[in-house]
């Protein structure tokens, strides 16, 4: 016990001096020798979190992932490590991995609101709409005034084609936090889905008042004008959208359709080819996403 305490003091001293990696190594060694040491567990969690944050800030996502996976192998039930790992994997589009990690976290802490919110987002990314909805509703029972959660629930309803429920959630988000752009944009998307093009135009304009370079809203305006057969207006907004977001496939696609209506055949072919190329790239990226093997998984 005395030796363990001496090593803990040494690890904490390293952490205080900013030698985070060495401190993490020592906390890890202590925890492997004495799995009951709460101080070593806390030290490993905090140093791992710092290392992962530093790696992410430097753009080294793989290094951040390696740090968190290493910690999860040593202490697979550490709540802080599991949460950070699930969030990072979601950001890296490792959705199945993130889903497994957050399922594990919720099984340990079923009433932890941040875990429920994070898992709801991952379930949405995976297209598991009912599970996403249940998690987000459970979160909102605990934090009913979270504008971002109402926005998230609105996106879930929108993907499920429950347009009236989606609209109600986006409006609730705006009522809680009026100074935002995304809920207005999603309201515009809802109007587009319901073929209410003039309302969609109003929503997208409000989005652009708050964020003049919102590529989705610029594209949405172009699509709405295209549906209204106002092709000159559609061309104007879609051209702006491509300038702001050159890799946004729907903008190229609808601009190609618009230019065809304006009898600009060559320009139309160019934009439709660009849309096809971007769609192929997206499909290849989706197909090439690998699932990593977590500590304790079978290969």
């Amino acid at each position: 016990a005395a030796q363990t305490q001496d090593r803990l003091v040494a690890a904490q001293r390293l952490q205080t001096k900013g030698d985070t990696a060495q401190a993490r190594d020592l906390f890890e060694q202590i925890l492997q020798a004495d799995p009951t040491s709460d101080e070593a567990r806390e030290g490993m969690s905090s140093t791992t979190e710092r290392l992962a944050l530093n790696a992410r800030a430097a753009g080294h996502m793989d290094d951040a992932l390696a740090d968190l996976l290493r910690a999860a192998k040593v202490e697979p039930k550490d709540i802080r490590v599991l949460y950070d790992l699930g969030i990072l994997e979601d950001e890296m589009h490792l959705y199945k991995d993130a889903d497994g990690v957050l399922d594990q976290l919720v099984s340990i802490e079923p009433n932890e609101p941040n875990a429920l919110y994070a898992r709801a987002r991952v379930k949405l990314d995976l297209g598991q709409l009912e599970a996403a909805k249940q998690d987000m509703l459970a979160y909102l029972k605990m934090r009913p005034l979270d504008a971002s959660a109402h926005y998230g629930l609105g996106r879930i309803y929108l993907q499920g084609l429950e347009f009236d429920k989606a609209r109600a959630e986006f409006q609730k988000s705006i009522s809680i936090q009026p100074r935002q752009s995304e809920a207005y944009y999603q309201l515009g998307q809802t109007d587009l889905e319901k073929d209410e093009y003039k309302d969609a135009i109003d929503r997208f304009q409000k989005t652009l008042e708050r964020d003049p370079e919102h590529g989705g809203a610029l594209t949405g305006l172009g699509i709405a004008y295209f549906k209204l057969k106002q092709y000159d207006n559609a061309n104007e907004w879609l051209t702006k959208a491509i300038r702001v977001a050159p890799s946004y496939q729907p903008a190229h696609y609808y601009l190609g359709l618009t230019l065809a209506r304006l009898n600009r055949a060559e320009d139309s072919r160019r934009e439709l080819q660009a849309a096809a190329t971007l769609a192929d790239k997206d499909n290849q990226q989706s197909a090439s996403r690998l699932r990593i093997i977590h500590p304790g998984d079978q290969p």
Side-chain angles (χ1 to χ4, degrees):
Q3 184 182 28
T4 297
Q5 188 61 38
D6 289 343
R7 297 177 77 191
L8 277 170
V9 170
Q12 290 163 351
R13 187 180 298 117
L14 287 168
Q15 185 177 10
T16 302
K17 289 171 58 180
D19 295 333
T20 310
Q22 293 184 55
R24 185 271 311 274
D25 294 347
L26 188 49
F27 282 127
E28 185 180 273
Q29 292 167 19
I30 298 167
L31 194 58
Q32 287 172 330
D34 180 9
T36 66
S37 174
D38 291 335
E39 288 180 282
R41 184 178 296 105
E42 169 60 26
M44 187 198 67
S45 295
S46 60
T47 52
T48 296
E49 185 175 55
R50 173 50 52 194
L51 288 168
L53 286 171
N54 290 343
R56 288 175 65 182
H60 301 151
M61 303 293 277
D62 289 341
D63 290 342
L65 182 62
D67 286 327
L68 291 167
L69 285 171
R70 174 175 168 174
K73 185 176 181 178
V74 175
E75 184 49 59
K77 294 185 178 181
D78 188 289
I79 293 171
R80 185 189 300 183
V81 169
L82 290 175
Y83 180 77
D84 289 345
L85 180 56
I87 294 295
L88 179 62
E89 287 176 337
D90 186 38
E91 291 179 3
M92 295 177 71
H93 307 299
L94 295 165
Y95 300 130
K96 290 183 179 180
D97 293 280
D99 189 43
V101 168
L102 293 169
D103 278 346
Q104 182 181 355
L105 176 55
V106 173
S107 71
I108 298 170
E109 291 285 345
N111 296 316
E112 166 53 44
N114 291 332
L116 289 168
Y117 181 88
R119 191 172 70 166
R121 292 186 58 177
V122 172
K123 298 290 187 188
L124 176 60
D125 289 332
L126 287 169
Q128 298 176 14
L129 300 183
E130 183 60 30
K133 179 176 73 174
Q134 294 305 321
D135 277 348
M136 198 63 81
L137 287 171
Y139 174 86
L140 281 167
K141 282 185 179 180
M142 291 180 270
R143 296 182 178 174
L145 296 180
D146 188 327
S148 66
H150 286 286
Y151 167 81
L153 184 57
R155 286 191 61 218
I156 293 166
Y157 284 133
L158 182 56
Q159 277 202 23
L161 306 182
E162 298 183 71
F163 300 122
D164 291 339
K165 290 182 178 179
R167 181 174 286 149
E169 292 301 324
F170 294 137
Q171 289 172 337
K172 180 68 173 177
S173 177
I174 290 169
S175 71
I176 296 170
Q177 186 177 331
R179 295 179 63 83
Q180 59 163 300
S181 60
E182 287 307 308
Y184 286 104
Y185 168 65
Q186 293 295 343
L187 279 172
Q189 290 293 98
T190 306
D191 293 331
L192 269 186
E193 292 284 350
K194 296 194 71 175
D195 300 332
E196 297 173 357
Y197 303 123
K198 292 183 179 179
D199 289 338
I201 288 170
D202 289 340
R203 309 287 195 190
F204 291 135
Q205 291 284 12
K206 287 182 179 179
T207 305
L208 292 171
E209 288 174 8
R210 292 157 175 78
D211 182 1
E213 296 194 341
H214 193 294
L218 292 167
T219 301
L221 276 172
I223 294 172
Y225 280 120
F226 175 84
K227 297 290 188 179
L228 291 170
K229 300 182 180 181
Q230 298 181 27
Y231 300 123
D232 287 331
N233 285 334
N235 179 36
E236 176 187 352
W237 291 106
L238 291 166
T239 299
K240 289 179 180 179
I242 289 171
R243 185 167 61 247
V244 169
S247 61
Y248 191 45
Q249 189 266 354
H252 289 279
Y253 176 72
Y254 273 95
L255 182 55
L257 297 181
T258 299
L259 293 169
R261 299 298 194 281
L262 294 172
N263 298 315
R264 294 170 56 182
E266 186 60 33
D267 292 335
S268 173
R269 280 193 292 271
R270 183 190 67 244
E271 292 302 327
L272 292 174
Q273 181 58 52
T277 299
L278 288 168
D280 288 342
K281 183 179 178 182
D282 288 342
N283 290 335
Q284 289 171 7
Q285 288 177 341
S286 296
S288 65
R289 284 181 191 142
L290 300 177
R291 181 176 184 181
I292 58 177
I293 298 177
H294 283 297
D297 286 351
Q298 294 297 318

